[in-house]
Amino acid sequence: MVDSIVVAEGLHKRFGTTEALRSLDLRVTEGTVCGVLGPNGAGKTTAVRVLCTLLVPDQGSASIAGRDVVRDADGVRKLIGLAGQHAAVDEKLTGRENLVMFGRLYHLGERRAQARADELLERFDLTDAAGRLVRGYSGGMRRRLDLIASLITAPPVLFLDEPTTGLDPRSRNEIWSSVRELVAGGTTVVLTTQYLDEADRLADDIAVVDHGRVIASDSPERLKAVIGSRLDVVVSTVDDTPAAAAALARLTGNEPTVDGTTVSAAVHERAVSLLTAVREMDAAGVAAVDVALREPSLDEVFLALTGKPAEEEVAA
Amino acid sequence: MNAMGWALADGWTVMRRNLTHLRHSPGEMVGVLISPVIMIVIFGYIFGSAIPVPGGGNYREFLMPGLFAMGATAAVMVTIARVAADNGKGVMDRYRSMPMARSAVPFGHTGADLVVGAVGMAIMAIAGLIVGWRVHNGLWSTLAGFGVLLLFTYAFNWLGVLLGLLVRNEETADRLTPLFFPVTMLSNTFVPTEGMPSWLRTIAEWNPVSALVAACRQLFGNPGAPVSDVWPLTHPVAATILWSLLLLAVVVPLATHRYRIAGRR
Ligand SMILES: Nc1ncnc2c1ncn2[C@@H]1O[C@H](COP(=O)(O)OP(=O)(O)OP(=O)(O)O)[C@@H](O)[C@H]1O
Ligand SMILES: [Mg+2]
């Protein structure tokens, strides 16, 4: 087995009566992306904060490249970059001043801190906004600046806590391509997200977190194979739904669900494609308005893994 | 560079960051710039018309060392507010996830606030000179007077860091402000202690602010030398330096430790 660069074992963390982490285990192989997937309140941010030395766990241990996050916090800090859910930049400075300041604090020296700031601003398309106060930035610009700030020293391990939540599709794509670039350069990335498609696109492995524990951990392909994709067929009138449901059941071997004029069923076999679906509908004499094969949503993943829908955990 | 050198460099970087904040929003400095003038008008002209100076002399000459000391004491409030405001900010998370010196943030705060305090003091001095305050003991003694004031200010800035980390939010910090008012008033700042009831007089005589005011009066050659024979007032300069160093010795380690563990539980 390849050595894990990020290791968490039996992490527990309690805030008052809320158990944010209950025996969370995580292993991330060097040079890969680990997607930590979970609904609101699952404990994703808490886990990241423990791994980044910002929180001390009540129980359990964690290490980065063999350095313990509690006993050798400073050693860990030299290896990590963090882009948090809430942008960790200084609102009362300009974008460039932020980066230069962090560069100085990473002991790059004045000239290199300045040069590195300009280089990163250029690469992430923030040069125009570099001289403006961060207070006036849009959410997407802040996130990008935050991401840049975590890249100043090109750390070997990068933690991204919901890097694209609340971003428009364009900013989201930009962040995705930056992450891919970094991974190509050898960086190990731990990325939390509420979106299965984000984890699917970026991650080599996905850890599904629920109520402070990892309930499933596998490659996206295998996770999806367990859960299955969904085949949705939209028919023109409600009268056609029984025929469509019967055809879908024959095709997929699974019990379809009907919602208005949409009939949908889980698909586990690769043999089922859009083409075979359309043919099957034709053969059954069903006039399908739309046929689509789609990935399961986070809700469906949870349903499949826990037998109940993903619920938001309320803070105690 | 060794660890100590880096700690100083990091503190310097955070201090520059705080001063850059002020440069971007000069509005925050208005209080520092205007309050000395308001103080001089209120105390110099309104109260001053009714209060006799012990041993005779110009009330405004008696008053100025007290106003300087009041500014030095107010340093604690300036720092509490700034530290409390900074606490919840996301940038603290980044600082704490970086391999920088843990002491850098408190050192940066106190350094920047000391600069702000010095600016306030300079404005106060100019305003004082305009209304007739004078120094009488030559350059070195005058510089020593301001040196003592800045040392005291710095110690109180550190007290502000500790309290700012303890209160955790800006609203609580604001509510603490009135508590510091008596600290300056319960002293020889505005009125001589001779007329106070004896228990109050004892408190006032041992109040570090009294020693500071007496030290300034002595070094600047202003009227109002204390008639008391308690040690801090017969040796006001030494007493002020001792008080300040004592406070620093207690508060610097506590505040640095507090910053180190803040938010980790
Ligand atoms: N500092 C804190 N004090 C008290 N409770 C906390 C604290 N931090 C987290 N919690 C609680 O711990 C639980 C896990 O929170 P966490 O922020 O780790 O979840 P998350 O998976 O990141 O959720 P989200 O997707 O909303 O960001 C929640 O119930 C939250 O209310
Ligand atoms: Mg979170």
Side-chain angles (χ1 to χ4, degrees):
Chain A
M1 201 185 114
V2 198
D3 265 356
S4 304
I5 188 163
V6 177
V7 178
E9 277 168 350
L11 290 181
H12 278 268
K13 184 74 198 178
R14 177 197 284 274
F15 296 106
T17 54
T18 313
E19 280 194 83
L21 299 179
R22 2 188 159 193
S23 197
L24 181 125
D25 298 304
L26 194 68
R27 286 184 165 269
V28 184
T29 306
E30 187 163 3
T32 67
V33 180
C34 173
V36 176
L37 180 68
N40 286 131
K44 304 181 295 293
T45 299
T46 308
V48 166
R49 291 178 69 85
V50 168
L51 291 169
C52 291
T53 77
L54 295 174
L55 273 178
V56 176
D58 298 334
Q59 269 178 54
S61 64
S63 63
I64 310 288
R67 299 178 182 200
D68 189 276
V69 296
V70 178
R71 281 190 306 265
D72 188 9
D74 265 325
V76 169
R77 290 178 185 130
K78 292 196 177 100
L79 301 174
I80 60 166
L82 165 67
Q85 191 170 1
H86 312 284
V89 287
D90 194 325
E91 303 222 303
K92 299 203 258 174
L93 297 180
T94 68
R96 189 169 184 281
E97 282 166 353
N98 262 289
L99 297 180
V100 173
M101 169 183 69
F102 293 129
R104 286 186 193 127
L105 292 173
Y106 276 119
H107 303 156
L108 292 188
E110 190 61 30
R111 279 241 303 285
R112 270 178 61 212
Q114 307 256 1
R116 183 75 177 145
D118 290 331
E119 177 197 329
L120 287 166
L121 285 164
E122 173 86 42
R123 194 171 123 204
F124 287 84
D125 212 18
L126 272 175
T127 306
D128 291 341
R132 281 180 16 220
L133 289 186
V134 172
R135 203 170 19 215
Y137 277 25
S138 71
M141 287 158 77
R142 267 178 222 223
R143 288 293 181 83
R144 247 184 300 160
L145 184 67
D146 194 42
L147 182 65
I148 298 178
S150 66
L151 299 179
I152 290 174
T153 53
V157 183
L158 191 59
F159 291 91
L160 304 176
D161 191 10
E162 299 195 25
T164 65
T165 302
L167 296 193
D168 63 24
R170 184 169 159 264
S171 316
R172 172 184 274 219
N173 274 320
E174 277 169 11
I175 298 224
W176 284 351
S177 54
S178 329
V179 172
R180 286 200 193 93
E181 243 175 78
L182 290 166
V183 176
T187 308
T188 307
V189 177
V190 176
L191 164 131
T192 78
T193 179
Q194 304 189 27
Y195 309 116
L196 182 65
D197 71 318
E198 178 164 272
D200 187 18
R201 264 165 223 254
L202 295 175
D204 299 293
D205 283 292
I206 296 179
V208 183
V209 180
D210 185 35
H211 291 92
R213 194 179 286 139
V214 174
I215 56 170
S217 174
D218 219 326
S219 68
E221 288 69 35
R222 279 203 294 217
L223 211 53
K224 279 190 301 182
V226 171
I227 299 152
S229 311
R230 304 290 298 187
L231 186 59
D232 289 350
V233 175
V234 183
V235 292
S236 50
T237 67
V238 185
D239 301 338
D240 277 349
T241 52
L248 264 186
R250 252 194 328 274
L251 181 68
T252 62
N254 290 319
E255 188 62 31
T257 59
V258 180
D259 179 17
T261 54
T262 305
V263 184
S264 134
V267 180
H268 285 105
E269 283 160 55
R270 290 187 177 276
V272 178
S273 68
L274 277 183
L275 195 62
T276 56
V278 172
R279 281 195 189 130
E280 190 71 32
M281 291 303 138
D282 256 358
V286 175
V289 179
D290 191 18
V291 179
L293 200 55
R294 65 175 172 82
E295 310 268 87
S297 66
L298 179 57
D299 275 338
E300 284 155 344
V301 172
F302 269 80
L303 196 60
L305 291 172
T306 63
K308 60 186 170 58
E311 58 182 60
E312 203 170 306
E313 215 176 283
V314 236
Chain B
M1 235 193 282
N2 59 12
M4 186 67 194
W6 281 126
L8 288 175
D10 290 350
W12 174 242
T13 302
V14 178
M15 173 175 156
R16 278 164 74 186
R17 160 215 181 228
N18 281 28
L19 293 175
T20 310
H21 286 170
L22 291 176
R23 193 157 52 74
H24 285 312
S25 39
E28 287 180 30
M29 288 287 283
V30 168
V32 174
L33 306 183
I34 294 185
S35 65
V37 179
I38 296 176
M39 289 297 176
I40 288 178
V41 171
I42 292 182
F43 288 101
Y45 289 87
I46 301 177
F47 288 85
S49 56
I51 302 175
V53 178
N58 180 338
Y59 183 74
R60 267 164 258 144
E61 288 229 343
F62 169 79
L63 172 73
M64 282 309 290
L67 289 186
F68 282 128
M70 199 171 173
T73 317
V76 73
M77 298 321 302
V78 173
T79 311
I80 287 184
R82 228 187 288 291
V83 170
D86 231 17
N87 256 339
K89 294 282 154 54
V91 69
M92 284 296 141
D93 276 351
R94 186 166 299 287
Y95 287 153
R96 291 198 174 97
S97 72
M98 289 171 67
M100 61 191 268
R102 294 294 101 175
S103 58
V105 171
F107 268 101
H109 274 300
T110 50
D113 288 347
L114 182 63
V115 172
V116 172
V119 171
M121 215 174 278
I123 293 171
M124 179 87 86
I126 293 167
L129 288 171
I130 294 173
V131 300
W133 167 69
R134 293 291 177 270
V135 292
H136 306 278
N137 291 344
L139 179 66
W140 294 113
S141 199
T142 305
L143 288 181
F146 283 110
V148 166
L149 278 166
L150 288 175
L151 176 66
F152 194 90
T153 303
Y154 194 59
F156 266 55
N157 286 141
W158 271 98
L159 183 61
V161 173
L162 180 62
L163 296 176
L165 287 170
L166 289 173
V167 299
R168 305 180 93 163
N169 67 58
E170 272 177 281
E171 291 76 38
T172 323
D174 284 344
R175 274 187 228 118
L176 281 178
T177 310
L179 294 182
F180 277 85
F181 202 53
V183 176
T184 0
M185 299 311 272
L186 252 179
S187 70
N188 57 357
T189 310
F190 301 108
V191 292
T193 54
E194 285 86 83
M196 298 179 184
S198 68
W199 62 275
L200 208 58
R201 181 173 173 176
T202 309
I203 296 177
E205 282 172 346
W206 284 90
N207 183 347
V209 179
S210 293
L212 175 64
V213 175
C216 291
R217 287 190 181 132
Q218 186 182 90
L219 290 166
F220 294 150
N222 292 140
V227 288
S228 164
D229 53 7
V230 298
W231 189 83
L233 295 186
T234 50
H235 301 82
V237 178
T240 308
I241 294 173
L242 276 179
W243 278 125
S244 306
L245 294 181
L246 190 67
L247 186 60
L248 283 170
V250 173
V251 169
V252 172
L254 281 179
T256 311
H257 175 70
R258 195 73 220 170
Y259 174 76
R260 198 192 306 265
I261 63 165
R264 291 193 82 193
R265 307 276 138 196

